[in-house]
Amino acid sequence: MKELEGIWQPLYAELGGEEAPKMMLEKMEIELAGGKYAVRFGGLTADHGFYTIDAEGHLSLVGVAGPNAGRTIPSIFKFTGETLSICYGLGGKRPEKHHTGKDPELYLVNYVRKG
């Protein structure tokens, strides 16, 4: 899915209903290209691996190196205008909606394309 490809800057993120500090988000980015992903913090790659999109349009990340090495993270995504919203199922279960509630295994991030 070509719409996903590019470098994305997080604008908003929450884990289990707790908002991530804006200062942290300003230093992060995710690149999705050619079936590979890389998460960078302060310009350094912190996590990378592969991603797939299944027939239902669900996104899954497979970590190769970094804190998610060896993990598969089932996710859902949607576009709202120029914003890409991804809800990650950190506990291995695919989220059902773009909302974390109080669930510490759900991580929601809203991104805008860089550049």
Side-chain angles (χ1 to χ4, degrees), residues 14-89:
E14 69 180 44
L15 178 67
E18 296 291 322
E19 186 174 347
K22 297 279 187 222
M23 185 176 67
M24 183 182 87
L25 300 179
E26 292 170 358
K27 297 178 182 182
M28 292 180 66
E29 67 182 26
I30 185 170
E31 181 174 6
L32 301 166
K36 297 179 182 178
Y37 80 89
V39 177
R40 295 184 192 93
F41 188 81
L44 301 174
T45 301
D47 183 32
H48 69 90
F50 300 94
Y51 74 89
T52 58
I53 300 176
D54 66 19
E56 289 84 38
H58 297 136
L59 174 68
S60 294
L61 303 178
V62 179
V64 172
N68 292 310
R71 293 179 63 195
T72 297
I73 302 171
S75 308
I76 57 175
F77 71 95
K78 68 178 180 179
F79 289 96
T80 305
E82 298 296 314
T83 302
L84 168 62
S85 179
I86 302 177
C87 192
Y88 302 93

Side-chain angles (χ1 to χ4, degrees), residues 95-106:
E96 295 179 10
K97 55 188 173 183
H98 291 267
H99 179 65
T100 65
K102 300 280 186 214
D103 190 337
E105 294 186 341
L106 295 178

